[in-house]
Amino acid sequence: MAKIVTFGEIMLRLQPEGYLRLLQANKLQATFAGAEANVAVSLANFGEDALFVTKLPDNPIGQAAANSLRMFGVNTDEIIRGGERLGIFFLEKGASQRPSLVIYDRNYSSIQKADKNDFNWAKIFEDANWFHFTGITPALSDSLAEICLDACKEAKKRNIYISCDLNYRNKLWSREKACEVMSRLCKYVDLCVANEEDAADVFGIASDGSDVNSGKLCEEGYKEVAKKLFDKFGFKYTAISLRTSINANNNKWAGLLYDGSNYFLSRRYDINIVDRVGGGDSFSAGLIYSLLNNYEPKDAIEFAVAASCLKHSIEGDFNHTTVDEVLALIKKGGAGRVKR
């Protein structure tokens, strides 16, 4: 069983019931979520030793956030306590041609106000095999960008495999700042994960012939994107999730993995979405799990895409699926017949 360290922010997720708009709702459902926390939960559900690192307020809300991870077996021993608040995001689920909406309330959160002295990376990385972060975390503050850099340097010194999901968020920073910071961090990354927009937003690397707004994707163009990312930073792998969006409820979902010599394209799933938030994180977790467990690249991308496909059928950010369920989807297909 591998030890995987993930680092980032966990937030309180508030949403109306069903497909109600925020303006209609008189009550909100509360859960917890965050990109790197989502990855940790997925990996724990796959049977791995997942350690999530963050800073939480020392109050009942912070404890509830930690408990939400512990109930799935995520190790929370290295969570730092301090600061004044937990970040919040409000989610309004889209339907048909109406897109989902996310509103952040995360300024001055405990993790955003963290400093370099909060985290002892030498201790955190003892016996670790893998380190994962996303572009969301360094976007939260200049201090967190430096903390991520410190973590990457320590992990690389220990020959720990590093993965990063670019995860560009235009509500957190500009393309120019993202390019500057992520260029420094990606020099240490072994596995880079991106979607059809991230490479263009962060590094200006786009796919010819694709238009994500119309749902048109060009697989050959994304092979070129994967290669350009690979060549720019010397990654061991570049992975790109390929989403064809018909509308808010119906997507086609696939993935591409590039190892510097060969391109591995997964099967494509037609998915009817229950909740797409966290779908990219389940894709990252599937890649981490499969590569750690010595899957061949073709099998690794199939596992990652299938895991994420299943996540789209589950409410909340966390992917409540097992390895056996993912493998069953790969082997038997997704007819959805009742299991008796």
Side-chain angles (χ1 to χ4, degrees):
M1 184 168 61
K3 177 182 174 181
I4 303 128
V5 177
T6 74
F7 173 60
E9 180 171 30
I10 186 170
M11 294 183 290
L12 179 65
R13 167 177 155 164
L14 298 175
Q15 71 175 72
E17 294 180 318
Y19 292 96
L20 289 176
R21 304 208 67 182
L22 287 164
L23 290 170
Q24 294 176 281
N26 57 18
K27 58 182 177 181
L28 299 174
Q29 298 173 323
T31 54
F32 294 94
E36 296 89 351
N38 298 341
V39 170
V41 170
S42 284
L43 290 166
N45 284 333
F46 292 156
E48 301 295 348
D49 178 10
L51 171 69
F52 179 64
V53 181
T54 192
K55 187 172 184 178
L56 294 176
D58 189 12
N59 61 33
I61 298 175
Q63 187 60 50
N67 290 350
S68 74
L69 300 173
R70 291 169 62 188
M71 70 182 293
F72 296 105
V74 174
N75 186 335
T76 61
D77 289 349
E78 297 296 336
I79 289 179
I80 304 302
R81 302 296 179 143
E84 297 182 0
R85 62 167 304 207
L86 190 74
I88 300 170
F89 75 96
F90 299 85
L91 173 65
E92 181 182 281
K93 288 175 64 176
S96 191
Q97 279 68 44
R98 176 173 60 83
S100 295
L101 172 67
V102 172
I103 299 172
Y104 291 124
D105 177 20
R106 66 200 306 177
N107 283 339
Y108 309 107
S109 67
S110 293
I111 186 65
Q112 187 191 57
K113 305 302 287 184
D115 64 48
K116 297 176 72 168
N117 295 322
D118 285 327
F119 304 101
N120 182 347
W121 292 110
K123 179 175 180 293
I124 290 167
F125 285 138
E126 286 179 0
D127 301 319
N129 305 93
W130 197 292
F131 174 55
H132 178 76
F133 70 103
T134 78
I136 295 173
T137 302
L140 295 175
S141 70
D142 290 342
S143 178
L144 277 172
E146 291 302 315
I147 293 169
C148 285
L149 185 60
D150 287 346
C152 287
K153 289 178 177 179
E154 183 65 30
K156 189 59 65 176
K157 185 169 69 175
R158 293 168 175 266
N159 294 316
I160 294 170
Y161 209 97
I162 301 173
S163 59
C164 176
D165 184 342
L166 294 182
N167 247 347
Y168 177 71
R169 297 289 185 266
N170 62 12
K171 294 182 179 180
L172 296 180
W173 58 358
S174 68
R175 289 178 174 85
E176 294 75 18
K177 185 65 177 289
C179 181
E180 174 194 341
V181 173
M182 296 309 294
S183 291
R184 284 191 291 150
L185 293 171
C186 281
K187 294 175 183 178
Y188 299 90
V189 169
D190 298 293
L191 167 64
C192 177
V193 181
N195 67 18
E196 64 271 19
E197 299 169 89
D198 289 335
D201 286 333
V202 178
F203 297 122
I205 298 174
S207 164
D208 293 333
S210 292
D211 180 358
V212 296
N213 292 316
S214 68
K216 181 183 178 184
L217 293 180
C218 173
E219 291 173 0
E220 290 302 316
Y222 282 110
K223 289 181 179 179
E224 185 64 20
V225 169
K227 185 177 188 305
K228 287 180 178 178
L229 283 170
F230 186 97
D231 291 345
K232 183 178 178 66
F233 293 104
F235 302 128
K236 294 179 181 176
Y237 291 102
T238 304
I240 298 181
S241 58
L242 302 174
R243 184 188 299 274
T244 303
S245 184
I246 311 304
N247 56 45
N249 300 106
N250 298 284
N251 288 182
K252 296 179 185 297
W253 182 246
L256 174 72
L257 186 65
Y258 178 59
D259 67 358
S261 300
N262 299 294
Y263 300 94
F264 304 92
L265 185 66
S266 76
R267 79 172 71 175
R268 179 177 293 167
Y269 293 92
D270 294 324
I271 52 179
N272 298 312
I273 296 172
V274 172
D275 192 338
R276 68 166 281 181
V277 182
D281 304 320
S282 59
F283 177 73
S284 293
L287 282 169
I288 294 168
Y289 172 83
S290 54
L291 292 173
L292 263 173
N293 285 277
N294 300 314
Y295 283 38
E296 292 297 321
K298 174 61 177 174
D299 297 325
I301 192 64
E302 291 290 358
F303 186 92
V305 169
S308 185
C309 174
L310 290 173
K311 160 62 196 79
H312 284 75
S313 71
I314 298 169
E315 284 279 6
D317 272 55
F318 296 162
N319 189 15
H320 306 284
T321 59
T322 65
V323 170
D324 286 345
E325 288 172 326
V326 177
L327 294 177
L329 174 59
I330 295 170
K331 182 178 180 180
K332 300 177 182 178
R337 294 179 63 84
V338 176
K339 295 172 63 176
R340 300 183 189 276

